[in-house]
Amino acid sequence: ARGQSRGGTRTTGYDAKGRARRGPKKSDPFAKFRRKKRRENAIKVNGANVDYRLKLTAAEATRGGVKYISMTNGKRLKVTIPKSTRSGQVLRLKGQGMPGLGGGTDGDALVTVTLDHDADLRIDGRDVYTSLAISLDQAVLGGKVMTPTLDGNVSVTVPKNANTGRILRLRGRGLPADADHPSPGDQFVVLKVVLPAKPDPELRAFVETWSATKGRAKA
């Protein structure tokens, strides 16, 4: 039998034993949304790695330290540079890449190091090269001048009558020794004689006199 409510609306019916039969369940407007969320949560996707490039001077790569990189989201990424880092070396920063989905792990930031060969110091193998400008009087008279090295500026002795292209060798001032190289490299300082930027009348007069008496005779 089935009961009828007022107005003829169908209500819950009963079976032969008098047990109530349940009518159809009401539709849940949020059921589809919940099913979609369950599917999304069931998918686990690891985050992608992100590539960056970091340019260092030879001294920075050798000494190590801390640098910062601007990320695509506007944040600054702290990069710790190990000592004796080489050009082309990749530094992996765990969890600093794209975020994972559904519990997946975050990607990494892969920082490729390149060396700035336009800087004062240039690395070639285990050795270091630099060009050092000296004045005319330093070239003629010799003396002490400062030159950059991987460990900071040091004093070197310019010999008397040094010409452009003269090379000074600083033993042990190249790349430091390591497990594969028991001895450090050397540094080679190439001298370059530079005249004053502003013309000096006295210097010009002296050179003219010297050239007229001794310079041409030697030539």
Side-chain angles (χ1 to χ4, degrees):
R2 294 183 180 274
Q4 297 289 331
S5 64
R6 294 179 180 177
T9 303
R10 181 174 294 179
T11 60
T12 302
Y14 298 90
D15 58 18
K17 296 183 180 181
R19 292 176 299 194
R21 294 196 187 102
R22 293 183 180 180
K25 294 182 178 180
K26 295 181 180 180
S27 61
D28 184 354
F30 299 102
K32 183 177 181 181
F33 172 77
R34 281 195 288 267
R35 287 195 299 271
K36 180 179 179 182
K37 292 298 292 183
R38 283 195 295 269
R39 287 196 299 269
E40 291 178 352
N41 293 335
I43 300 175
K44 181 182 291 187
V45 179
N46 294 333
N49 296 333
V50 180
D51 294 318
Y52 294 96
R53 287 192 174 274
L54 179 61
K55 181 173 285 189
L56 301 175
T57 64
E60 290 172 336
T62 302
R63 292 195 300 263
V66 174
K67 285 286 187 177
Y68 291 89
I69 293 177
S70 296
M71 303 175 67
T72 55
N73 58 8
K75 294 183 179 180
R76 298 182 72 200
L77 181 63
K78 180 180 178 181
V79 183
T80 300
I81 310 300
K83 291 183 178 180
S84 300
T85 297
R86 301 289 180 262
S87 181
Q89 185 172 339
V90 179
L91 307 178
R92 181 182 292 269
L93 306 181
K94 288 286 188 180
Q96 297 298 325
M98 299 297 291
L101 298 176
T105 59
D106 294 340
D108 301 331
L110 305 179
V111 182
T112 302
V113 174
T114 58
L115 296 187
D116 185 0
H117 292 294
D118 294 330
D120 294 333
L121 302 173
R122 179 175 61 85
I123 295 177
D124 186 359
R126 304 293 301 168
D127 299 324
V128 176
Y129 291 81
T130 186
S131 178
L132 180 64
I134 59 174
S135 62
L136 181 61
D137 58 309
Q138 290 172 331
V140 174
L141 304 176
K144 299 285 188 180
V145 296
M146 302 298 291
T147 185
T149 71
L150 294 176
D151 298 317
N153 292 336
V154 299
S155 176
V156 296
T157 299
V158 176
K160 295 180 180 180
N161 297 320
N163 287 318
T164 292
R166 178 73 179 267
I167 298 177
L168 308 180
R169 183 176 185 176
L170 307 182
R171 294 187 180 275
R173 289 287 183 176
L175 295 182
D178 55 29
D180 298 325
H181 305 87
S183 299
D186 299 328
Q187 178 168 335
F188 297 91
V189 181
V190 182
L191 300 180
K192 180 173 62 175
V193 181
V194 179
L195 295 176
K198 184 178 180 180
D200 188 330
E202 293 182 4
L203 176 60
R204 181 181 179 85
F206 168 77
V207 172
E208 288 176 346
T209 302
W210 179 87
S211 178
T213 57
K214 296 182 178 181
R216 293 179 181 176
K218 289 184 177 181

